[in-house]
Amino acid sequence: MTTQTQSSTINVEYLKTIGIVNNGLNGRGFANPYDLAVSGDGRIFVLNRCDPARATGIRIGVCNLDEDYLFEFGDGAGNGDTQFRWPVALTFDSQEHLYVTDEQNQRVTVFDSDGQFLRKWGTPGPGDGEFNGPAGIAAGPSTSSGDGYIYVVDQHNARVQKFTSDGGYVGQWGSQGSSPGQFNLPWGAATDKAGNVYVADWRNDRIQKFTADGEFLAAFGTPGYGEGQFQRPTHVAVDGEGYIYVADWGNERVQILDYEGHFQVLLRGEATVSKWAQEYFDVNPEEAAERYQSDLTPELPPHLNTPYHISSQTEPYFWGPVAVSLDHEGRLYVVETNRHRFQVYQKR
């Protein structure tokens, strides 16, 4: 379902859903996906966080928009170079290097676009270049002097840290609190084409915008359920025209704001059966029959009126929309950790 303001200058069209729950430890399908990033050639890299019972299946799966499952990498739970404990977010830089945060291993791991390990950095602590729960990560635009900087949301240290692409510490900003420039369990991050940095300030229910050096510019949103209000936003993305996309996780929705933070569009989800799921039903007709007999958009009793209850019972809606991402064609990807899929939209 899509709603927008009468004055909105954009329309967002649903394209498709990709995903199916992966009941094994590898292969086609997802297990509690937490984020995705799209490479310059259109390959979609999906971070599978998995639940503790399937921690050996933690990996990054790679597919494309046509739903070809291409390959995967990552060697499950651990602290080896190609392993993860609690991976959170990923991003590509201008050199097509993929950066992945791990909030339990307290580090950033870097791979090339073929999934080959390149390097890692980070140690636990509150000092410069140290981490306590690294979460969101974003790459700044390239500069005349070389690669752009890497920004890491240091969740429990209530700050953003700035690094060179090889992990060299540059600077930081932020402290615990609710005033402008302060954070309370910050989570996702993004940059715009001018190099400004946006942070999903999770427990403060807002998005904050900074210069590349951490100067506070603006804050968008207040706690609530209305348009332009948030309940525990987890992720943010910004397109080339300055529109801001927010994973409004606690409200089970995505909101789109203009560059000044004014509400434009609300997405609840419009999922259809993915190609992978349809292929599964084709060879398991008894399960297809059960699905078609089920009421996947039921009328709920009045006491089940929270966003969580509505989304958990309404299959096309987002349930656990933990991340938003954009590709080079302006397509929006919404990652649903609870339904092991992502939905794809196009701004018109």
Side-chain angles (χ1 to χ4, degrees):
M1 183 182 73
T2 303
T3 63
Q4 61 189 66
T5 63
Q6 291 184 347
S7 61
S8 176
T9 58
I10 65 171
N11 291 297
V12 179
E13 175 186 339
Y14 169 78
L15 297 182
K16 68 187 307 181
T17 295
I18 298 178
I20 188 173
V21 63
N22 188 317
N23 289 320
L25 298 177
N26 55 23
R28 186 176 71 171
F30 306 128
N32 304 111
Y34 245 58
D35 198 4
L36 69 75
V38 185
S39 63
D41 60 5
R43 292 176 296 158
I44 304 165
F45 290 66
V46 181
L47 179 61
N48 291 274
R49 180 164 166 133
C50 296
D51 57 43
R54 295 181 291 171
T56 54
I58 297 172
R59 69 196 187 284
I60 295 170
V62 185
C63 64
N64 60 27
L65 201 57
D66 291 328
E67 297 181 64
D68 301 313
Y69 193 76
L70 304 174
F71 65 97
E72 59 190 38
F73 58 96
D75 295 317
N79 56 12
D81 289 346
T82 58
Q83 293 181 304
F84 309 101
R85 292 287 187 186
W86 283 105
V88 177
L90 43 71
T91 192
F92 277 106
D93 70 6
S94 60
Q95 303 301 312
E96 295 283 274
H97 292 163
L98 184 70
Y99 298 74
V100 185
T101 57
D102 189 323
E103 63 176 317
Q104 187 169 338
N105 277 329
Q106 309 292 356
R107 71 186 188 196
V108 174
T109 306
V110 189
F111 301 87
D112 68 18
S113 61
D114 293 321
Q116 298 300 308
F117 171 81
L118 296 177
R119 57 187 176 272
K120 63 186 178 185
W121 78 81
T123 55
D128 295 349
E130 297 178 331
F131 296 125
N132 187 1
I137 188 166
S142 297
T143 66
S144 58
S145 60
D147 295 343
Y149 293 107
I150 304 298
Y151 300 89
V152 180
V153 176
D154 193 5
Q155 181 186 174
H156 298 292
N157 283 326
R159 64 186 180 183
V160 174
Q161 295 200 69
K162 181 178 180 180
F163 298 89
T164 61
S165 59
D166 60 1
Y169 173 79
V170 176
Q172 63 177 283
W173 69 86
S175 60
Q176 179 69 36
S178 58
S179 297
Q182 293 185 314
F183 301 112
N184 192 348
L185 293 180
W187 194 253
T191 56
D192 63 19
K193 65 180 182 181
N196 298 312
V197 180
Y198 299 72
V199 179
D201 192 2
W202 189 80
R203 189 163 281 177
N204 282 325
D205 297 314
R206 65 187 179 184
I207 304 298
Q208 295 200 69
K209 178 181 179 181
F210 304 88
T211 67
D213 295 321
E215 177 187 349
F216 173 80
L217 295 176
F220 310 128
T222 57
Y225 304 97
E227 295 176 348
Q229 296 184 312
F230 304 118
Q231 287 290 323
R232 305 299 189 253
T234 49
H235 209 285
V236 60
V238 185
D239 70 17
E241 295 182 293
Y243 287 101
I244 303 164
Y245 302 75
V246 180
D248 189 7
W249 177 80
N251 282 324
E252 305 284 359
R253 65 190 184 185
V254 169
Q255 296 195 67
I256 306 175
L257 315 177
D258 66 17
Y259 73 97
E260 294 181 329
H262 301 132
F263 171 81
Q264 298 295 305
V265 177
L266 184 151
L267 304 175
R268 288 295 307 274
E270 302 178 52
T272 51
V273 174
S274 72
K275 176 183 175 182
W276 298 348
Q278 188 57 57
E279 290 174 351
Y280 176 84
F281 289 133
D282 288 345
V283 297
N284 294 275
E286 70 286 351
E287 294 201 30
E290 290 294 327
R291 174 183 170 82
Y292 297 141
Q293 291 175 11
S294 301
D295 186 358
L296 300 178
T297 56
E299 283 289 331
L300 297 176
H303 68 282
L304 297 180
N305 62 356
T306 68
Y308 177 88
H309 284 118
I310 294 169
S311 284
S312 66
Q313 300 297 314
T314 309
E315 201 266 351
Y317 282 6
F318 302 132
W319 187 25
V322 70
V324 286
S325 186
L326 299 165
D327 67 13
H328 297 287
E329 302 297 324
R331 286 182 286 257
L332 168 68
Y333 300 76
V334 182
V335 179
E336 296 179 70
T337 190
N338 289 340
R339 287 203 168 101
H340 314 285
R341 68 188 185 190
F342 58 87
Q343 297 188 39
V344 188
Y345 295 78
Q346 178 74 66
K347 186 182 74 176
R348 302 297 186 188

